[in-house]
Amino acid sequence: MASAARPLVKIGILSIGDMGAGLARLLGAHGFAVATNCGGRGPDTVARARAAGVELLADDRALVRACGLVLSVVPPRDAHAIARRVLAALDAEDAETPSPPEPLYFADLNAVAPSTVRDIAALFAPRAAAAVAAEAPGPRPREVRFVDGCILGLPPAPKTPAPDAPSSSSSSSPSSVADDDLAAVLEQTWTRPRIPTSGPWGLASIAGHGPRLAAVLASSAVGADVGAASGLKMCFAAVSKGFIALATQSFATARALGVLPALEAELAAVLPHHHAAAVRGVVAMPPKAYRWVAEMREIARTLADDGGFQVGGGGFDAAAELFRLVAEDTVLGQEKIGKRSRGTTVEDVAAAVVEGVAKKRKKEE
């Protein structure tokens, strides 16, 4: 059983999109309190947070005051801004807290290049050094322990048990499952993404049941240096989302040529697994396209900086432009997860992209 001597760490999540809400539900189901600040966000975000059982705090200062860990889960374009928000809140708290509480762990789980995450980590470097000056007289800033991380997979969701399946914890709530049994129970009861981390600190090192937290989040260390986990994400997304970009362009071009049905038929006959994956990815893409624009540029940066592939970012600059076109120049840009009306078939996605390309060409003439 998890020790009762120390409460579970409270976790802040910025922000509560679909992934953030899924993580909040997973954490809440296993005993961890989750909080956020929805200031400046729309009603959909507030409703999503409440539905996930997330505590809504008044501002970022209240968030860092209450939490021992903050997870940054935002589109890549917002990663720096979230880090600066947390730093500003800590600065304000320092002025009124002569004896700072335990270190705050800040885990950047965003889809950014290794060089980008190192830039973000550098923002916290002065606070990381606070531990060294612990014996110095006078007020000192709260220490921040930076965790480089990434998310591989879809948002967490409870599994639906078979009607005749025995309960894996019929006598216990999820939060009371013994740590030794937790991994096995989670495999049976939840679909979860994986959260690799790197750097000097990991989720398991957090005071307040860090090993249990790491087990719940399927988190493990993949390297000693900041940048390794983010680099893993970039290489993973280059394959997964790069494939979706290629498939979208291929389907749209085939439609423009009048051969989309023939292309799908040939793919289904010759490469059925590729075809099924392409259909799933392309149809699911429209509500996420706006997030993927910056992510493609981060992949291009990674392939250039760390892989040595300088020309055209390995094709990912073109992928960024494709997703920008989908998000800004087609009707698909209005789509939201769970509220789909367009782009629910390959044919409709291809048609909308062809129309968007035509509009773009006309503007450029």
Side-chain angles (χ1 to χ4, degrees), residues 6-22:
R6 186 184 191 108
L8 296 177
V9 62
K10 179 175 282 192
I11 300 165
I13 300 181
L14 295 171
S15 65
I16 305 295
D18 291 291
M19 181 61 75

Side-chain angles (χ1 to χ4, degrees), residues 18 43-45 47-48 287 334-342 344:
D18 291 291
D44 285 351
T45 301
R48 194 181 300 119
Q334 304 303 313
E335 294 297 298
K336 295 185 181 298
I337 295 173
K339 300 179 180 180
R340 299 295 303 276
S341 61
R342 291 293 306 274
T344 57

